[in-house]
Amino acid sequence: MSNTIKSIYPLGFPWQTEDPFLFSVYHLDHYPKGNEQMGPAASLEGRNLGNDFVLKDGWRMYHGQTIPGFPYHPHRGFETITIVNKGYCDHSDSLGAAGRFGEGDVQWMTAGRGVQHSEMFPLLYTDKENPLELFQIWLNLPSTSKFVDPHFKMLWHEDIPIVQDDDTRIKVIAGNYKGTEAPSPAPNSWAAASENEVAIWNIHTKANSTYTLPKAKTPVSRNLYFYEGSEIEISGEKMILNHGARLNPAEDISIRTSTESAHFILLQGKPIGEPVVQHGPFVMNTQEEIRATMKDYGLTQFGGWPWPHADHVHDRKKGRFAKYPNGEIVEKG
């Protein structure tokens, strides 16, 4: 292994990450045409509905019963960053916030002291297939921010900068790429302080090209995830699809593609360096805090659920939009 690469490892479900990240999941589902309820216009027979994570016919229902996705569930103590490259996600939460986003949009949600939300994947098209490509990244919060107010923010794809670096296209979702700044993250995020050098970059390189990933400015954890393509050469090492590389942040990284283009996600950031105790959707620093969180959720339901269904979706004719907790509505069409 070269000095620039600390390790290369296979990607599981979820992807392994390093502090300040908790993990990342990658969903690629080739959903069929939709029915009138925005679920699959196909038989659901043979699926373990409610917990359907086995890829069958190219897609999964996840925790959905009629519409694929994740009906309401709680979070506390961290943030979710949801990148939808293809397809759509319908968000609803206990703050009264809601939205439909997709085709490159990103949602940044700070759970803080507690929130319930649902993430459903409506199959809007009845006349053609409904492919979905989605990443959800869990970014930890330091102990000083575990109990901040929940926050909901949209990064619309029109506002996310894209840098063309020779034969490589870099979508700057978080951080700074060669002087190009991403949109501001949620205000209480670990990523909000520039000295933490948190970066989330979606990188697309063309076939038969060489790209140099610039080194970081500070000592950070840095991982590159290879999720589309076939094979690449990274700093002289062969790396195949569905593998990650833990990188030396102090070195430039050379990536050479083969006859196919290659797509990556880069996650980096200064480690928070605190104990992590996770129990399902709750991430705290001690077991005592986890027990208190479970008790608090049992008593308060983190504000309850103001929507008519646990798997709430918005009207089929609704375009991309966000409704914020203060009542503000942004329509993107």
Side-chain angles (χ1 to χ4, degrees), residues 27-331:
H27 300 294
L28 179 61
D29 291 278
H30 300 283
Y31 289 116
K33 295 176 182 179
N35 58 27
E36 290 304 314
Q37 291 73 44
M38 291 179 276
S43 172
L44 299 180
E45 187 177 351
R47 293 181 178 273
N48 183 23
L49 291 179
N51 194 32
D52 177 31
F53 282 77
V54 176
L55 198 64
K56 181 178 182 291
D57 301 326
W59 49 278
R60 295 153 286 204
M61 289 293 289
Y62 300 106
H63 293 315
Q65 299 277 349
T66 56
I67 301 166
F70 298 84
Y72 76 75
H73 55 279
H75 290 303
R76 172 180 275 183
F78 64 100
E79 300 183 292
T80 58
I81 300 149
T82 307
I83 305 165
V84 183
N85 282 345
K86 300 174 185 176
Y88 294 92
C89 179
D90 274 11
H91 169 93
S92 309
D93 69 30
S94 55
L95 306 174
R100 171 170 290 163
F101 59 101
E103 300 301 322
D105 298 327
V106 177
Q107 182 208 75
W108 198 303
M109 190 187 79
T110 307
R113 59 181 167 78
V115 66
Q116 288 196 77
H117 75 153
S118 65
E119 303 151 292
M120 305 306 298
F121 310 139
L123 308 185
L124 301 182
Y125 302 114
T126 58
D127 58 344
K128 62 180 181 179
E129 294 184 342
N130 291 269
L132 176 80
E133 183 181 79
L134 178 149
F135 306 84
Q136 186 169 93
I137 299 159
W138 286 24
L139 175 61
N140 201 9
L141 287 167
S143 56
T144 53
S145 301
K146 292 287 189 190
F147 288 92
V148 297
D149 289 341
H151 187 80
F152 168 78
K153 180 169 186 173
M154 286 304 311
L155 310 182
W156 302 110
H157 73 252
E158 295 93 337
D159 303 324
I160 300 173
I162 293 174
V163 177
Q164 192 67 41
D165 195 343
D166 292 329
D167 289 328
T168 301
R169 175 181 176 270
I170 302 96
K171 187 172 184 178
V172 188
I173 296 165
N176 181 303
Y177 183 86
K178 294 185 176 181
T180 297
E181 286 278 356
S184 299
N188 291 297
S189 176
W190 186 247
S194 60
E195 62 267 25
N196 294 332
E197 209 178 348
V198 173
I200 302 173
W201 301 336
N202 199 177
I203 302 169
H204 292 192
T205 61
K206 291 183 179 179
N208 300 307
S209 66
T210 300
Y211 165 65
T212 300
L213 177 68
K215 63 186 176 183
K217 296 177 181 177
T218 60
V220 291
S221 66
R222 194 176 223 206
N223 285 263
L224 187 71
Y225 303 90
F226 180 23
Y227 69 89
E228 185 174 322
S230 61
E231 182 179 279
I232 61 168
E233 187 177 283
I234 178 168
S235 292
E237 302 281 346
K238 294 290 185 183
M239 182 170 164
I240 60 174
L241 181 65
N242 294 325
H243 278 69
R246 186 174 172 230
L247 306 178
N248 180 347
E251 300 286 341
D252 290 341
I253 304 293
S254 174
I255 300 171
R256 180 177 297 174
T257 60
S258 60
T259 55
E260 290 187 39
S261 61
H263 295 185
F264 311 91
I265 288 280
L266 178 116
L267 299 182
Q268 76 168 34
K270 178 182 176 182
I272 294 172
E274 296 178 350
V276 174
V277 180
Q278 181 179 351
H279 182 81
F282 309 133
V283 181
M284 305 303 290
N285 297 109
T286 67
Q287 288 289 354
E288 290 78 11
E289 290 173 336
I290 290 290
R291 286 192 286 270
T293 293
M294 294 173 69
K295 181 178 180 181
D296 193 15
Y297 177 63
L299 290 172
T300 69
Q301 297 294 293
F302 293 163
W305 189 247
W307 305 96
H309 307 288
D311 60 350
H312 184 71
V313 292
H314 310 301
D315 188 270
R316 182 193 300 279
K317 296 179 181 178
K318 192 79 173 169
R320 295 157 53 233
F321 80 98
K323 178 186 176 185
Y324 294 96
N326 65 1
E328 177 190 1
I329 296 176
V330 174
E331 302 277 0

